[in-house]
């Protein structure tokens, strides 16, 4: 049966694009090296009709299908399980930008387009595709949509979902939904687009998308400020929102330990401000230009200093200085890895609850694990914290992780939920949080999700064992 | 059986809130007077648990349920059919603002809250809820979400869907989904929120929503400009988007006949510019203030005059003048009614295709129905045209409507679809366009929609005969 299916797949996409031997780690091992699977075969279709043919062949053989883009996911949703029975469907060869419509501010790309290529195509047309995240050099737009990726500009432009106007997708039956549309208003039935976005390859396989572009701002500028507490960070956020409105495109916070780890492991990165309990990185995208942007920043920061909201601030004087500030922020996860294993959380909270969450949860962790170290940073503007827990100094990180991860997770997730939050802000569920989801999600929502899954994929072929 | 159900409903919501006699036109007749139904009973629950009890009672009796908010829908989705067997579930008594979270920029309202009350509650908190449409004094937020309402600020703030962060809803089984959340990032499973939004009461009954608020701009200002063609309107839109960025919050176009009808039927409304093939109403929401807004407008309009994109322009010098410009735009549908019956279309197109659509469709209509009059106006910024066809002068409007409506619809819808457009931009499907949808929607999408409907409402109790 398996070899018959492999033969059929060869007929669908050409023998050269069905991989069954040699080192398939690039497909079978996730990049954080937490899940290693074994695929029956890796199929690499080059067109939507080839994807449909692969799905029909798998459906006929009752073989499960795992769709994969750039294999940069963080929750194990894009690699096969260890059974050796699942077909890994790589979208990597479907990497064309199909079209750009300048006057409509849209771009249509195939699922396997690398995010950076989409950004670049928009830039080449004098426009902006604002989705931006650490893996942008290798993640694909199909994967971004399948996980509803977030990133640093969500407070202004929304998640991947908000940047997608239309989809083309292949159903579990191997039918093609031609849903590419460059429309900002279209009330003709159920919102299948948003249902597929974020469904992690469990309801259909996204093959192409029409994306929303934006005009490029005349100038983008950043500033850094020092705050004494989460409450002060929040006060600065409110002031920036009021003053900048939609020109506020980034608002990142970093606690003292985050910056200390960056200092220790990347001493050559310049820190524009001396150490403080919290640093805030503010990004302004100005439609008039750099002079106007600088005046806007000076108004905000002078008032904030006067009000005691911040104790210090620096406005980037050049694009290079702006990039330097972002490097500090982006270096945190790398500095953490250098420091040793840690327990990561990608949580979201109502912005207003973040101070209470931080105070209560920090105290609870410290009481239970004296000396535990919190690397707390993230996108305050949209309520998303990367709330990471590092072993107390002197303890072996691996031993701490092994012994305490479950208890730490329980404490942090309980606290997030108690404060109206989510256990997965932008990374998704995948294999990593599947059990957690089943335990914590509203039971009526779970029942609706399961009913939808059964309705659209009655054979359970699409990415089984992920999400639900 | 029916009287037993009515007794049960009385037990659920109190006898005073189950209406079966007297004039029930307010519930049974839509406001455009196109659909008059007959309900088995009108049930008026006051809480989510009462809604759930009503649904469970109806499910046990296999009685269909039509949910209704302010009964201002335009497609017949909110009134019962003529069978006398459907229960009309009015959300009107669920009209509380449950909470406002200023720092999180959210407001939680029950489904029966009138849109204007939501706007006012946000304004009282110094914030903005930007959803705005003609019926805002009587439509409800639940209905707005069930139809994914649009309106005039979609190019900046999106549809109702984009302004909703969380829902509470009652399923067809009478279970309550507690999905109210004030989170801007939450990737924990399928996007049930967006699936229910726009589903017109056919998948579940929305009982409350957490809505996204925005900071209030320091100044909102409008200008009017005269253009010679759709191409010029589009050139002005591109210039305004580039210069204003997200501060551009409105961009409405009105063809000559639209303005001529307003002049004829509302001669006291001041027209700031002399007649032109096209008038454009531009709205700018400025975060710095009126002086800055005026300077921005002057820059845009001076350049556009210089480039020949516009032939004339006027910037409102006061809030009253801004309102006056909006009154001209809002008076078009009323002026059309005064002029006589007409064939209305609520279509959306890729913005870039609007000139080609207008030129081709106008010519095709004129060739087939010489002298036919087009009242073409709408939200150019998001590609939504209200493309209305009025009988040739001298012909009886009612007779023209009766004889030609189907053929006119076919021509206009064919042209919209041929230009990549939609047959329903913001009004929805309901009873009005149900047959049209079944004929025109992508068959794979239709199959997925039907599968979802069967999965979530296997008895087919929720708003049968609407949408699908």
């Amino acid at each position: 049966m398996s070899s018959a299916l492999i033969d059929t797949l060869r007929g669908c996409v050409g023998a050269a694009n069905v991989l069954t031997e040699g080192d398939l780690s690039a497909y079978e091992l996730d990049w954080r090296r937490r899940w290693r699977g074994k695929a029956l075969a890796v199929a690499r279709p080059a067109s939507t009709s080839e994807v449909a043919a692969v799905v029909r062949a798998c459906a006929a053989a009752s073989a499960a299908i795992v769709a994969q883009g750039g294999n940069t996911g963080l929750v194990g949703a894009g690699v096969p399980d260890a059974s050796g029975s699942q077909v890994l469907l790589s979208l990597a060869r479907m990497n064309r930008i199909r079209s750009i419509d300048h006057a409509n501010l849209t771009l249509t790309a195939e699922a396997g387009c690398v995010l950076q290529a989409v950004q670049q195509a928009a830039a080449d047309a004098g426009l902006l595709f604002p989705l931006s995240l650490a893996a942008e050099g290798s993640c694909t737009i199909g994967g971004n949509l399948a996980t509803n990726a977030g990133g640093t500009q969500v407070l202004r432009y929304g998640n991947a979902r908000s940047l997608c106007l239309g989809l083309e997708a292949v159903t579990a039956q191997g039918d093609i939904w031609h849903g590419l549309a460059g429309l900002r208003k279209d009330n003709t039935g159920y919102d299948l687009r948003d249902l597929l976005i974020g469904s992690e390859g469990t309801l259909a396989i996204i093959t192409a998308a029409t994306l929303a572009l934006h005009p490029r701002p005349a100038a983008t500028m950043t500033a850094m400020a020092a705050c004494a507490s989460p409450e002060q960070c929040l006060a600065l956020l409110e002031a920036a929102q009021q003053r900048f409105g939609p020109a506020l495109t980034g608002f990142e916070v970093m606690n003292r330990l985050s910056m200390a780890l960056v200092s220790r492991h990347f001493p050559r990165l310049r820190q524009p401000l001396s150490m403080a309990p919290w640093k805030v990185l503010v990004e302004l995208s100005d439609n008039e230009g750099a002079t106007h942007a600088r005046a806007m920043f000076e108004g905000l920061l002078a008032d904030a200093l006067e009000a005691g909201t911040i104790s210090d601030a620096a406005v980037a004087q050049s694009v290079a200085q702006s990039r330097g500030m972002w490097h500090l922020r982006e270096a945190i996860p790398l500095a953490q890895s250098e420091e040793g294993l840690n327990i990561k959380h990608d949580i979201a909270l109502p912005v207003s609850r973040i101070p209470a969450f931080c105070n209560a949860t920090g105290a609870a962790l410290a009481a239970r694990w004296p000396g535990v170290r919190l690397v707390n940073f993230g996108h305050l503007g949209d309520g998303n914290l990367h709330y990471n827990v590092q072993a107390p100094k002197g303890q072996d990180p691996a031993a701490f992780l092994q012994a305490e991860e479950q208890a730490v997770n329980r404490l942090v997730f309980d606290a997030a939920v108690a404060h109206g939050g989510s256990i997965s802000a932008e990374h998704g569920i995948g294999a990593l949080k599947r059990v957690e989801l089943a335990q914590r999600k509203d039971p009526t929502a779970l029942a609706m999700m399961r009913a939808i899954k059964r309705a659209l994929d009655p054979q359970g072929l699409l990415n089984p064992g992920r999400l639900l």
Side-chain angles (χ1 to χ4, degrees), chain A:
Chain A
M1 187 63 203
S2 312
S3 72
L5 173 58
I6 292 171
D7 282 345
T8 311
L9 293 176
R10 288 189 178 118
C12 295
V13 299
N17 292 303
V18 178
L19 316 179
T20 56
E21 291 180 2
D23 179 10
L24 298 178
S25 301
Y27 302 99
E28 294 176 337
L29 176 65
D30 80 298
W31 79 274
R32 283 176 74 199
R33 303 175 164 268
R34 292 191 63 158
W35 295 272
R36 179 187 288 280
K38 177 79 195 93
L40 173 68
V42 174
R44 295 164 42 90
S47 68
T48 306
S49 57
E50 285 188 9
V51 173
V54 168
V55 172
R56 284 194 300 270
C58 291
S62 297
I65 304 163
V66 179
Q68 186 181 88
N71 193 14
T72 62
L74 296 167
V75 293
V79 286
D81 68 17
S83 67
S85 68
Q86 302 187 320
V87 173
L88 192 292
L89 192 159
S90 167
L91 280 304
R93 290 177 69 219
M94 290 192 63
N95 61 358
R96 283 190 312 135
I97 305 280
R98 289 196 190 158
S99 62
I100 294 186
D101 182 340
H102 197 287
N104 195 44
L105 295 174
T106 51
L107 178 156
T108 299
E110 292 180 347
C113 266
V114 169
L115 173 54
Q116 207 162 61
V118 175
Q119 296 167 341
Q120 190 58 50
D124 291 346
L127 296 168
L128 174 72
F129 182 62
L131 187 68
S132 175
L133 45 99
E136 62 196 23
S138 45
C139 64
T140 62
I141 191 67
N144 297 148
L145 291 167
T147 58
N148 187 29
T152 55
Q153 300 205 319
V154 170
L155 86 164
R156 162 66 183 102
Y157 296 104
N159 296 294
R161 171 171 289 133
S162 305
L163 296 166
C164 178
L165 299 178
L167 288 181
E168 177 190 88
V170 173
T171 69
Q173 293 75 36
D175 295 321
I176 300 171
W177 169 39
H178 298 280
L180 292 176
L183 301 175
R184 284 169 178 80
K185 285 184 175 174
D186 182 17
N187 283 349
T188 55
Y190 303 154
D191 185 3
L192 300 174
R193 177 190 69 209
D194 287 321
L195 183 64
L196 297 194
I197 294 173
S199 68
E200 303 184 7
T202 64
L203 296 180
I205 296 170
I206 294 169
T207 53
T210 299
L211 305 167
L213 306 179
H214 287 262
R216 289 189 84 77
T220 300
M221 194 174 283
T222 61
M224 253 181 151
C227 290
S229 64
E231 287 82 356
Q232 289 200 340
C233 297
L234 207 60
L236 182 63
L237 173 63
E238 272 200 68
Q241 283 173 321
Q242 186 57 48
R243 192 179 281 258
F244 297 169
L248 179 69
T249 50
F251 197 97
E252 303 283 311
V253 296
M254 298 151 273
N255 76 345
R256 185 195 296 267
L257 183 58
S258 312
M259 286 295 96
L261 292 185
V262 171
S263 269
R264 181 179 310 156
H265 298 288
F266 300 98
R268 290 203 290 188
L269 288 181
R270 184 177 161 268
Q271 298 259 4
L273 302 174
S274 55
M275 277 294 153
W278 291 87
K279 297 271 180 71
V280 181
L281 173 54
V282 187
E283 184 184 83
L284 170 65
S285 293
D286 195 287
N287 260 69
E288 293 175 64
T291 308
H292 185 258
R294 188 157 293 117
M296 293 288 281
F297 257 136
E298 280 160 7
L300 173 75
L301 297 171
D303 283 4
L305 276 167
E306 171 97 15
T309 308
I310 63 175
S311 59
D312 197 2
V315 180
Q317 298 300 312
S318 64
V319 172
Q321 283 189 14
S322 279
R323 286 214 185 110
M325 290 180 181
W326 275 112
H327 283 160
L328 288 173
R329 160 67 181 81
E330 288 156 2
I332 299 172
L334 304 171
Q336 269 203 283
S337 297
E338 294 293 319
E339 186 73 8
L341 285 173
N342 59 82
I343 306 169
K344 292 188 198 298
H345 304 103
D346 165 46
I347 57 175
L349 295 152
V351 173
S352 53
R353 306 292 295 276
I354 285 180
F357 169 85
C358 289
N359 296 335
T361 313
L365 286 166
R368 174 127 178 219
W369 293 281
V372 78
R373 294 177 300 159
L374 273 178
V375 179
N376 186 3
F377 64 101
H379 322 292
L380 187 72
D382 50 54
N384 181 191
L385 294 181
H386 298 300
Y387 191 84
N388 299 344
V389 176
Q390 203 113 17
K393 219 161 187 172
Q395 285 193 32
D396 176 54
F400 182 79
L401 187 81
Q402 170 114 36
E404 308 297 344
E405 181 168 21
Q406 280 204 330
V408 169
N409 284 348
R410 193 172 320 119
L411 191 154
V412 171
F413 290 151
D414 283 349
V417 171
H419 287 83
S422 164
I423 63 165
S424 182
E426 58 182 8
H427 296 169
I429 299 298
L432 179 66
K433 294 184 183 168
R434 186 185 168 219
V435 173
E436 203 73 45
L437 184 80
Q439 290 166 353
R440 292 182 181 274
K441 189 86 178 176
D442 176 89
T444 303
L446 268 181
M448 292 171 80
M449 285 164 54
R450 290 182 177 132
I452 291 166
K453 170 70 175 175
R454 281 192 303 271
L456 297 186
D457 179 20
Q459 283 187 272
L461 297 180
L462 296 178
N463 221 358
R466 276 36 164 243
L467 204 160
L468 279 179

